[in-house]
Amino acid sequence: MDKLRITGGRPLQGTVRISGAKNAALPVMAATLLAPGVHRLRNVPRLRDTRTFARVLELLGAKVEFEGNLLTIDTQGVNSVEAPYELVKTMRASIYVLGPLLARFGEARVSLPGGCAWGPRPVNLHLTGLQAMGAALEIEHGYIVGRGVKLKGATIGFDVVSVGATAQLMMAAVLAEGTTVLENVALEPDITVLGEVLVACGARIDGLGSRRLSIQGVRSLRPIDTAIIPDRIEAATFAAAAAMTGGKIRLEGVAPDHFEAPLRKLEEAGCTLLREAGAVTVSGPGRPRAVNVVTQPFPGFPTDMQAQMIAVCALADGTSVIEDTIYVDRFTHVPELARMGARIELKGNVAVVKGVERLSGAQVMATDLRASASLVLAALAAEGESLIDRIYHLDRGYETLETKFAALGARIERVS
Ligand code: UD1
C-alpha cells in the first residue's frame, strides 16, 4: 500500500494550477444519462472517484474515454439500470445515477450506500423527494428499486440543505412531466453549475443561485459539452499550506468567490491575500493566529475544509474552537494530529485546539479524504519526517497532490 514520506519545515513557494472539481464533475457525469448521445466534459480531474463513476457508467452500457482531462461519454447504448453494491460502497456519489435513470428509463436498481467513516450519511431526502414525484421505490436486498416509474412535477421542501439531494432531484425534474419546485436547495457552486449545464442542454430551470428552484420538465435534452469548474477545496487546501508553512503560494485557475469563506478565515489567521481574476496569492504569517470556525452550507465555511483548518489551528498562537454542524462525527484526523504533537480536545462536534509552537513528524494513518489532507498539511509544517499510511483516500480527491507540493518546494515522495 502506498505511503507518503514528507520531511517538513520548509516554507512552500510558487505557483500551483488547481484541477477541476471532483464534486462538480460527478453530478455532471451522472447527468449524461439524461440524454442519449456523445457528451464532452473538459477539465475533469483524473482521480479514483471520477474513474469509479466512469466504471458505473460503463456497467450501465455507456462508452467512456479519458484523454488527459477530457472525458467523453457516449450514453447512446445504455442498456442496464443497475448500479452494483461493489461500486456504490466505495463511492457514495454513485447514487447520483438514480434520478437520471428513473427520469430516462422509468426504472433503476441502485445499491444503498450504507455508512461511511464519518457517520451514517442518510439518503432519505433523495428517496422521499423522488417518491413525492411519483416514483414507487422499494428497498430489495440492499438495493433501491424503481419500476414503471413516470416522474411528475411536485413541490418539495428540504428540511436540511443537502448538496446530493438537490442535484438528484434537479436531474429527475428536468425530464419529469410538469413543474417541480424545490425549496431550501443547496447553493454550492457544484450545484448551481450543474443547473447551468442542464439549461445549456435545453432544461428549463428558474431560480438558479437562489434557495428556490422552479423546474419545468422538457421531453428531451441535448448532450453536454462543458468544462468542469476549478476545485475550491483543493484550492483552499493549498492556501492552508501557505498559511501553515509561512510560505507564499499563487493559486492559478481558480474562482475566488467559490472559496471566500476559507479565504476570509485564513486572512483572520494572519495571511495576506492578493485576489485577481482567476488567481489568488496567499502569503502565510510567521505564525497563524487562532480562529473560530463553524461549518455551514455554502456560502458558509465548508465541512470539506474543517480537517485542514484544524491542522492550521494546531500551530496557531492561541486557542481555536472549530465546530462541524454538517457532519458531527467527522474528526478521525484528531487522534492522528495528536500523534504529531497537536493539542486538541474533542467535545462532541466541537474541537478545541490549543495551538502549539511546533509539530513533530510522525507515522500517521489517513482515514478519509479530507482527514488525509490535514495530515499532509501538518507533516509539511512539522519538524522532521512523517510517514502517512493509507493515502489511497487522498487519491480519491486530489489530482497529483505530491507532484504539486513538490513543485512548491516540499520534500515529499510516494513510497510503496
Ligand atoms: C456533498 C459532498 C461532500 C460534502 C457534503 C457537504 C459530493 C460528492 N460530496 O456530500 O464532499 O462534505 O456535500 O458539503 O459532492 N442529509 C440528510 N438526508 C439526506 C441527505 C443529506 O439528512 O438524504 C444530511 C447529511 O447527513 C448532512 C447534510 O444533510 O448532515 C448535508 O449532506 P449533503 O449536502 O447531502 O452531503 P453529500 O451530498 O452526501
Side-chain angles (χ1 to χ4, degrees):
M1 214 183 283
D2 285 0
K3 300 179 177 59
L4 277 182
R5 182 167 23 227
I6 297 175
T7 307
R10 274 195 186 169
L12 300 185
Q13 311 267 3
T15 295
V16 60
R17 175 150 282 276
I18 298 304
S19 298
K22 164 179 90 74
N23 288 354
L26 297 177
V28 174
M29 288 175 76
T32 63
L33 291 168
L34 291 166
V38 180
H39 304 255
R40 286 165 59 84
L41 281 52
R42 284 160 277 123
N43 201 33
V44 176
R46 294 184 76 109
L47 300 168
R48 202 156 66 95
D49 275 9
T50 48
R51 289 201 180 89
T52 303
F53 209 101
R55 186 76 199 115
V56 174
L57 295 175
E58 277 173 351
L59 286 179
L60 296 172
K63 287 202 196 100
V64 185
E65 202 176 73
F66 240 132
E67 287 171 79
N69 294 103
L70 168 68
L71 185 62
T72 309
I73 304 173
D74 182 351
T75 52
Q76 191 74 49
V78 170
N79 55 3
S80 160
V81 293
E82 174 163 329
Y85 180 60
E86 288 65 40
L87 289 176
V88 180
K89 76 174 181 203
T90 65
M91 191 187 61
R92 298 173 45 82
S94 318
I95 197 172
Y96 276 147
V97 299
L98 179 61
L101 287 174
L102 291 173
R104 181 163 151 211
F105 300 104
E107 265 183 66
R109 192 165 186 276
V110 176
S111 171
L112 265 173
C116 77
W118 22 288
R121 297 187 75 187
V123 290
N124 58 310
L125 297 173
H126 300 237
L127 303 186
T128 53
L130 291 167
Q131 282 162 338
M133 295 179 72
L137 300 175
E138 304 286 341
I139 305 297
E140 292 174 6
H141 310 293
Y143 280 71
I144 307 158
V145 180
R147 299 184 187 91
V149 169
K150 180 93 193 73
L151 293 174
K152 293 196 178 56
T155 295
I156 298 158
F158 298 112
D159 50 5
V160 179
V161 176
S162 162
V163 172
T166 304
Q168 183 81 275
L169 291 168
M170 227 191 224
M171 291 189 282
V174 288
L175 289 184
E177 190 186 305
T179 302
T180 302
V181 176
L182 303 178
E183 283 165 353
N184 200 24
V185 299
L187 297 180
E188 270 67 4
D190 315 320
I191 297 300
T192 307
V193 161
L194 170 69
E196 288 165 2
V197 166
L198 291 170
V199 167
C201 298
R204 296 180 63 186
I205 308 178
D206 283 332
L208 279 173
S210 80
R211 291 268 176 223
R212 185 176 187 277
L213 299 179
S214 175
I215 304 170
Q216 209 180 320
V218 295
R219 280 181 172 276
S220 62
L221 294 172
R222 294 181 291 278
I224 296 167
D225 186 347
T226 195
I228 301 300
I229 55 172
D231 193 318
R232 65 202 164 99
I233 305 298
E234 185 198 9
T237 302
F238 277 96
M244 283 189 78
T245 63
K248 183 174 180 182
I249 301 180
R250 181 176 154 88
L251 312 168
E252 263 185 12
V254 295
D257 53 331
H258 290 179
F259 58 115
E260 257 311 302
L263 284 176
R264 276 204 302 271
K265 272 298 157 194
L266 291 174
E267 241 172 348
E268 204 183 314
C271 289
T272 310
L273 305 184
L274 175 65
R275 292 177 175 80
E276 295 161 273
V280 182
T281 305
V282 184
S283 306
R287 184 180 179 195
R289 284 192 294 270
V291 289
N292 297 333
V293 174
V294 181
T295 66
Q296 298 284 356
F298 190 85
F301 191 95
T303 173
D304 284 351
M305 271 304 290
Q306 176 258 103
Q308 300 90 312
M309 203 63 202
I310 287 190
V312 174
C313 293
L315 273 180
D317 187 6
T319 299
S320 307
V321 178
I322 300 191
E323 178 180 356
D324 200 324
T325 65
I326 313 278
Y327 287 111
V328 295
D329 291 340
R330 194 179 195 179
F331 289 100
T332 49
H333 40 289
V334 166
E336 298 300 311
L337 290 171
R339 302 199 69 251
M340 302 177 77
R343 290 175 61 202
I344 307 170
E345 200 186 327
L346 202 51
K347 299 176 181 163
N349 65 333
V350 178
V352 179
V353 188
K354 295 197 172 101
V356 294
E357 284 193 32
R358 271 172 223 93
L359 294 171
S360 64
Q363 285 192 26
V364 288
M365 201 148 68
T367 46
D368 73 49
L369 170 55
R370 307 303 171 186
S372 315
S374 84
L375 299 178
V376 170
L377 292 176
L380 289 169
E383 285 179 353
E385 187 179 291
S386 295
L387 199 59
I388 305 180
D389 202 351
R390 302 203 180 168
I391 54 160
Y392 55 85
H393 292 291
L394 276 174
D395 296 333
R396 293 188 57 177
Y398 288 93
E399 196 176 40
T400 61
L401 183 89
E402 70 269 25
T403 314
K404 288 184 176 183
F405 272 126
L408 296 170
R411 285 166 291 182
I412 181 169
E413 60 174 338
R414 189 178 279 253
V415 290
S416 309

